[in-house]
Amino acid sequence: MSYILEVCADSVQSAVAAQEGGADRVELCSALVIGGLSPSAAMFRQVRENTDLKIRVLLRPRFGDFCYDEYEFRTLKEEVEQFRGLGADGVVIGILKPDGTLNMEQMEELVKAAKGIGITMHRAFDVCRDPYEALEQCVSLGIDTILTSGQKSSAWEGRERLSELVRQADGRIDILAGAGIGPESIRELADYTGVCSFHMSGKKVLDSQMEFRRVGVPMGIPGFSEFEIWQTDAEQVKRAAEILRKEQE
């Protein structure tokens, strides 16, 4: 059995750490602290230049829900075309309608814009109305991967549904387990669910290099320190990768 370990990275340093740890590919984004947003073209080029990893690019125009207006949709479509042109191995997308179903019309346009590169349905899947219907719709669109926690706050909590999704997929689409994935849980999750692909951030929190610190001036969401840097920990990735390699033996 062959396993895939994908690391979600929102900086060049995190992507480099993912490669050092033995990841198979990265999901490249920005602003991972709020669930991930689209990265810049410059960041993509730097990751391509400094790693040999396959890169799937998360495309999400803003924080919040996955129901987008026409401006946001046109932005997404242009980003799909942009990153395909830059040589991305795949894109990570997802759009819902207000009733919680997949927006098939808009998704179909994005799939066509991708023109044959890999496509992951991101965790909009985890807040859709009917995951079993959505899986069949993803297959019909030609999407090759669904990133999901089984519609729970962590993949381990969603392990029953993940098992059901793997059985329903029956090899037609890859179920990529994400949320709370780490070396402590990855073997048990693989054995329990039959999932062969795993998505982790492996993050560690570093103290800022700033010596002078102006406190009480938040730059974003209240409660998040301006003097903490989240980065991928190569050691966590390495431990998870080693576990999966042993599972393959």
Side-chain angles (χ1 to χ4, degrees), residues 42-61:
M43 187 196 298
F44 175 88
R45 285 191 288 266
Q46 284 292 311
V47 171
R48 180 63 85 204
E49 183 178 325
N50 288 281
T51 76
D52 300 317
L53 292 170
K54 292 184 180 298
I55 307 172
R56 292 205 174 191
V57 182
L58 172 69
L59 301 179
R60 185 181 177 209

Side-chain angles (χ1 to χ4, degrees), residues 167-188:
R167 286 193 293 272
Q168 181 182 343
D170 194 26
R172 297 174 298 155
I173 191 167
D174 191 30
I175 302 300
L176 174 63
I181 301 295
E184 300 79 12
S185 62
I186 202 164
R187 178 186 290 110
E188 289 77 12

Side-chain angles (χ1 to χ4, degrees), residues 32-101:
L32 186 54
V33 71
I34 55 172
L37 301 176
S38 302
S40 68
M43 187 196 298
F44 175 88
R45 285 191 288 266
Q46 284 292 311
V47 171
R48 180 63 85 204
E49 183 178 325
N50 288 281
T51 76
D52 300 317
L53 292 170
K54 292 184 180 298
I55 307 172
R56 292 205 174 191
V57 182
L58 172 69
L59 301 179
R60 185 181 177 209
R62 57 159 170 77
F63 173 73
D65 64 35
F66 302 102
C67 184
Y68 299 123
D69 64 27
E70 192 60 29
Y71 302 112
E72 292 165 333
F73 173 67
R74 288 203 296 266
T75 299
L76 281 170
K77 188 174 179 181
E78 186 173 326
E79 286 181 328
V80 170
E81 294 166 347
Q82 176 189 35
F83 284 106
R84 176 180 55 78
L86 287 170
D89 298 286
V91 291
V92 184
I93 57 176
I95 307 178
L96 300 179
K97 291 182 177 180
D99 65 0
T101 61

Side-chain angles (χ1 to χ4, degrees), residues 106-119:
Q106 290 185 341
M107 290 289 289
E108 186 173 9
E109 281 198 53
L110 296 187
V111 170
K112 286 180 179 177
K115 292 184 179 176
I117 62 174
I119 303 174

